[in-house]
Amino acid sequence: MYTDNMNQILQPHEFFLPFGGELDAKNRWCRIALMMPWAELEQQYVKKLLALGRGRKAYSVRMALGAVLIAQMCGYSDEELVRQVQENPYMQYLLGLRGFQQSPVFDPSLMVYFRRRLSGEPLEKANEIAAVAEAMRRLEEKAEKERKRREREERRRKKDPPDGEGSTGGEQLTIDNFGEMILDATCIPVDIHYPTDLRLLHEAREWTERCIDAMHHPDIGVKEKPRTYRQEARRCYLNISKSKKTTYKQLRKAIRKQLQYLRRNLGIIGAYEAQGRFLLLSRLELERLETCRRVYGQQKEFYKTGKSPQGRIVSLHMPFVRPIKRGKAGAETEFGPKVAVSVVEGIVFVERVSFENFNEGVTLIQSAQRYRQRFGYYPEAILADQIYRNRENLDFCKANHIRLSGKPLGRPRLDPLWRALRRQLEKRDAGARNAVKGKLGEGKRCGGLDLIKTQLEETCQAVILAGFFALNLKSILRVLFCNLWKDLRDGYTPLFPSNLCTA
């Protein structure tokens, strides 16, 4: 059951503090609470709730989104987040409470449900609203500076005075294509151990043994349990996994044995299922059993053909994770979702999140079209890697008068001036592209995107979207802080006169 929570919106001075005083409206949590469009976000949040008319009263979108943002921006675990919120009145104000509460606001286990409900449209909508507004403001400032620069050049060319008749101060800059969009993609690793075929088969065999024990429970004392050779199978696995050096022949023999043990266990489970005993298994055991069957089929195919199967499973408890080939020096293969992002004036937009590997070059056209939907025009230039320079993207950029960074196709010109200008432009584009690398590095170092520790596919996506949303909020807060510092600096009176400070 969900009720309207818009009456929770208070001003910082209206928040009740039992020990006296009032909240500082310039605090970062107060600023975040006041800049968020809670009414629009609540409409998206209600759609994610499954049962609106029954059950316990649901927490508001302000509490759910606020808790997820605090956890991402500060790097708290779920338990530590509850303790910090319990001790901090500014965090409680962000969560929508009307006064300071000394008891825990919610149970840490609810963070799983908060992330599941916020994954998808609610977090995407929140990031779009805040990011588009800030990026539009920065683009308008950039357009205003460009207009003033053109006016100065025009006055200098005509040798008119600043306030002369030739001044065009009232004109607006006509925008066909404006701004720059930087594209890139990265992999966000998840918290799993490095997968090996032998270990994966060993874990699948142990889960099938657990299912056999649950299905055989009614026959205890009546029938003998089918033989599974679990002790012998475990001993064979440990002999290889604990050895310092293993030959290819030994490893292949160990994998063949684990496949035989797993096939035997699946046959026993199939006989039990024919008797209707699959009802004795829990939902988790049924899901893992289905995953074990897929693992057996993939590993058997890989053992016979030597070709990696499509949709290869690398984790038994997170079967949606796929190996992502990155070709980096430190990690050739990463395990986690691949994320395509775009950066406009220092603001990050998430273009695509997928656990399946994809070519990031196919996202350029879609990202450019989204840019036009957000700001009303195409970008003047798109700065991206060489992988984005395929024929389809080049034709699209040429048709819409967009400059795509990189070397042009064909033989370069012999004109030395053209070559010098081209090298200068490529150097400038390479420097501008550092912005997206910096944002991805900031997200992995300070935004909690270095390692995703949630276990569900929906919660993993929610952590990624919340991480980039937190980066945008930090960028907006930095601008607000700089403006505040400038105001204070203009009206600042030094404590000591300058003549007393000279030495």
Side-chain angles (χ1 to χ4, degrees), residues 107-134:
D107 191 80
S109 62
L110 290 177
M111 289 296 296
V112 178
Y113 299 95
F114 289 165
R115 295 188 181 99
R116 292 182 64 180
R117 293 173 180 175
L118 290 172
S119 64
E121 292 186 3
L123 272 173
E124 290 179 359
K125 186 70 173 179
N127 191 24
E128 281 287 321
I129 293 175
V132 169
E134 179 63 17

Side-chain angles (χ1 to χ4, degrees), residues 21-214:
E22 61 183 31
L23 298 181
D24 183 11
K26 298 178 181 178
N27 184 273
R28 57 171 177 168
W29 304 120
C30 294
R31 289 182 178 272
I32 292 176
L34 295 176
M35 74 172 63
M36 295 296 296
W38 298 113
E40 299 181 22
L41 299 180
E42 189 171 25
Q43 297 177 1
Q44 302 293 332
Y45 183 71
V46 171
K47 296 179 182 178
K48 299 288 289 188
L49 301 180
L50 301 179
L52 300 180
R54 61 182 183 273
R56 296 181 61 185
K57 182 179 178 180
Y59 287 97
S60 65
V61 62
R62 182 165 176 175
M63 180 165 292
L65 181 56
V68 173
L69 284 178
I70 294 173
Q72 286 299 122
M73 296 179 69
C74 300
Y76 295 146
S77 63
D78 295 346
E79 293 78 9
E80 182 64 23
L81 170 66
V82 174
R83 299 190 190 99
Q84 293 293 334
V85 171
Q86 183 181 354
E87 300 167 358
N88 194 323
Y90 288 98
M91 292 183 180
Q92 293 188 14
Y93 172 74
L94 175 61
L95 299 187
L97 299 183
R98 306 187 66 87
F100 182 71
Q101 178 178 324
Q102 296 183 356
S103 60
V105 179
F106 54 84
D107 191 80
S109 62
L110 290 177
M111 289 296 296
V112 178
Y113 299 95
F114 289 165
R115 295 188 181 99
R116 292 182 64 180
R117 293 173 180 175
L118 290 172
S119 64
E121 292 186 3
L123 272 173
E124 290 179 359
K125 186 70 173 179
N127 191 24
E128 281 287 321
I129 293 175
V132 169
E134 179 63 17
M136 180 65 74
R137 185 190 65 80
R138 297 183 182 184
L139 285 173
E140 290 176 354
E141 290 182 355
K142 186 176 180 180
E144 181 66 18
K145 292 181 181 179
E146 180 68 16
R147 184 184 64 82
K148 292 181 179 180
R149 185 187 65 82
R150 292 186 180 183
E151 289 180 359
R152 289 194 300 268
E153 291 181 354
E154 185 70 17
R155 287 195 300 266
R156 189 180 300 110
R157 187 176 63 85
K158 294 182 178 180
K159 296 182 180 180
D160 289 340
D163 297 328
E165 297 179 357
S167 177
T168 58
E171 295 183 5
Q172 296 293 331
L173 182 64
T174 302
I175 298 179
D176 295 328
N177 290 8
F178 191 74
E180 292 180 347
M181 181 175 63
I182 312 174
L183 298 179
D184 203 356
T186 187
C187 181
I188 310 296
V190 297
D191 189 16
I192 62 173
H193 57 75
Y194 191 85
T196 60
D197 297 333
L198 182 61
R199 183 186 179 94
L200 191 62
L201 289 171
H202 168 69
E203 293 178 352
R205 179 187 56 79
E206 288 185 334
W207 268 100
T208 55
E209 292 169 358
R210 175 175 173 176
C211 295
I212 291 174
D213 294 339

Side-chain angles (χ1 to χ4, degrees), residues 245-260:
K245 294 183 180 180
T246 304
T247 63
Y248 174 78
K249 186 176 181 179
Q250 292 174 341
L251 181 61
R252 187 170 176 83
K253 182 178 179 181
I255 292 176
R256 177 175 56 82
K257 287 186 176 181
Q258 295 297 324
L259 282 172
Q260 293 174 349

